[in-house]
Amino acid sequence: MIFITVKFPVRPEHSAQWLDIVAEFTEATRAEPGNLFFDWSRSVDDPNEYVLVEGFRDGEAGRAHVESAHFRQAIETLSGAVAAKPRIISVDLPDREGWDLMGEITPREA
């Protein structure tokens, strides 16, 4: 599995509409056969920063993603809405297929 986290510093005038700006890109990426997850969150510390957590089945799926037409379109679109170059962590986690359960927390009955 390729696990990627990207922090996007968004221009303040685009921050409230960010999820609309990335909606088509998000939908197209989630439809890719090798995509495992593609989830956006807004920073609790900075309202102008969004965090993307994404996973792809393997390197081939990650390569197909960055070579896709919707990725190229997103590069163009997002370049006009970010305040600075996004920061990324990308890790290859061999023999992984997705999320594990956290062992430390178990729901209690209400």
Side-chain angles (χ1 to χ4, degrees):
M1 175 177 77
I2 305 299
F3 181 82
I4 302 166
T5 304
V6 187
K7 290 188 172 191
F8 289 84
V10 178
R11 292 181 185 175
E13 64 270 24
H14 296 295
S15 189
Q17 297 82 27
W18 182 255
L19 294 178
D20 293 328
I21 292 168
V22 299
E24 286 182 31
F25 176 50
T26 300
E27 184 178 325
T29 300
R30 287 177 176 169
E32 293 175 19
N35 180 256
L36 301 173
F37 48 88
F38 196 83
D39 299 316
W40 292 96
S41 298
R42 194 172 198 175
S43 170
V44 296
D45 297 319
D46 181 353
N48 297 318
E49 181 177 75
Y50 282 83
V51 179
L52 174 61
V53 178
E54 53 188 309
F56 295 91
R57 181 185 62 241
D58 53 27
E60 183 179 320
R63 209 170 12 265
H65 171 64
V66 299
E67 293 174 356
S68 69
H70 58 268
F71 185 87
R72 286 190 303 275
Q73 178 59 53
I75 295 300
E76 181 66 30
T77 301
L78 302 185
S79 293
V82 294
K85 197 169 197 71
R87 294 172 290 146
I88 186 170
I89 298 172
S90 180
V91 180
D92 186 355
L93 301 169
D95 302 321
R96 294 287 307 229
E97 296 181 11
W99 296 93
D100 286 333
L101 296 177
M102 183 177 177
E104 295 81 7
I105 298 177
T106 302
R108 287 185 267 174
E109 295 204 25

